[in-house]
């Protein structure tokens, strides 16, 4: 009888995780991503937003959604829905030539998502970021309007 150790056991068709994949992202990368993300929120908050800035915030929202802890699946779902609605309102305002703006409440909910994403980037194993990115790519190739359930 052949014994398989925990180290070599993995799901069929899935590559085993390396040490680097089990560690959080490097601190330098986390700080750079966080800075870019917070600058995007500041830009849209101060009326200097654009479609590109809004798409960056939407990408952060969806990456955070895909990175959330599966144990907390239903917890905080409303904050994700609220953040998505905030970005939709901003887009509607821009389409009406009112500029890319956020209300105080919309800014607060998006700031909450950015803080959550900062925590995720700093603490979760890097493979979770990679998996979230892959989930985002699958969503973008699909027909759904949002990965966040109603």
């Amino acid at each position: 009888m052949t014994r398989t150790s925990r180290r070599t056991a993995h799901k069929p068709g899935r590559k085993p995780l390396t040490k680097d994949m089990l560690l959080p992202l490097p601190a330098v990368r986390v700080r750079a991503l966080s800075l870019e993300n917070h600058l995007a929120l500041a830009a849209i908050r101060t009326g200097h937003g654009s479609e590109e800035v809004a798409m960056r915030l939407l990408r952060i929202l969806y990456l955070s959604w895909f990175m959330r802890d599966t144990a907390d699946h239903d917890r905080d779902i409303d904050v994700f829905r609220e953040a998505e609605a905030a970005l939709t309102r901003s887009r509607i305002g821009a389409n009406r030539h009112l500029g890319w703006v956020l209300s105080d409440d919309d800014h607060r909910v998006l700031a909450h998502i950015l803080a959550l994403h900062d925590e995720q980037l700093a603490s979760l194993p890097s493979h979770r970021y990679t998996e979230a990115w892959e989930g985002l790519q699958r969503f973008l190739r699909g027909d759904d309007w949002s990965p966040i359930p109603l």
Side-chain angles (χ1 to χ4, degrees):
M1 169 152 84
T2 306
R3 268 179 83 170
T4 306
S5 74
R6 277 195 202 171
R7 283 188 177 165
T8 60
H10 63 276
K11 294 180 183 178
R14 184 173 179 183
K15 293 180 184 178
L17 298 175
T18 66
K19 180 180 174 185
D20 286 341
M21 296 166 100
L22 295 171
L23 294 172
L25 293 170
V28 165
R29 178 126 189 255
V30 169
R31 281 191 301 274
L33 287 169
S34 179
L35 178 61
E36 290 174 18
N37 297 342
H38 286 272
L39 285 174
L41 182 59
I44 204 166
R45 174 70 169 153
T46 58
H48 295 94
S50 65
E51 179 133 5
E52 181 181 332
V53 169
M55 293 308 291
R56 177 173 196 80
L57 292 171
L58 193 61
R59 184 176 70 230
I60 296 161
L61 170 65
Y62 291 160
L63 282 172
S64 293
W65 172 257
F66 287 120
M67 289 174 73
R68 78 196 185 291
D69 190 350
T70 52
D72 295 333
H73 184 70
D74 292 328
R75 189 186 72 117
D76 295 336
I77 193 170
D78 288 337
V79 75
F80 286 95
R81 288 182 188 136
E82 290 171 25
E84 191 175 48
L87 290 169
T88 298
R89 284 188 289 275
S90 185
R91 176 185 268 298
I92 290 169
N95 288 343
R96 292 182 178 163
H97 305 288
L98 302 173
W100 291 92
V101 295
L102 293 173
S103 70
D104 290 341
D105 288 340
D106 289 348
H107 178 262
R108 262 191 294 283
V109 73
L110 288 168
H112 178 81
I113 292 294
L114 263 62
L116 169 64
H117 192 59
D118 287 345
E119 289 176 26
Q120 291 170 326
L121 290 173
S123 63
L124 293 177
S126 64
H127 75 89
R128 292 280 303 275
Y129 181 80
T130 303
E131 290 167 1
W133 188 262
E134 291 167 356
L136 177 61
Q137 299 311 306
R138 281 190 301 279
F139 162 69
L140 292 173
R141 287 189 301 270
D143 294 330
D144 293 330
W145 284 97
S146 172
I148 304 166
L150 294 175

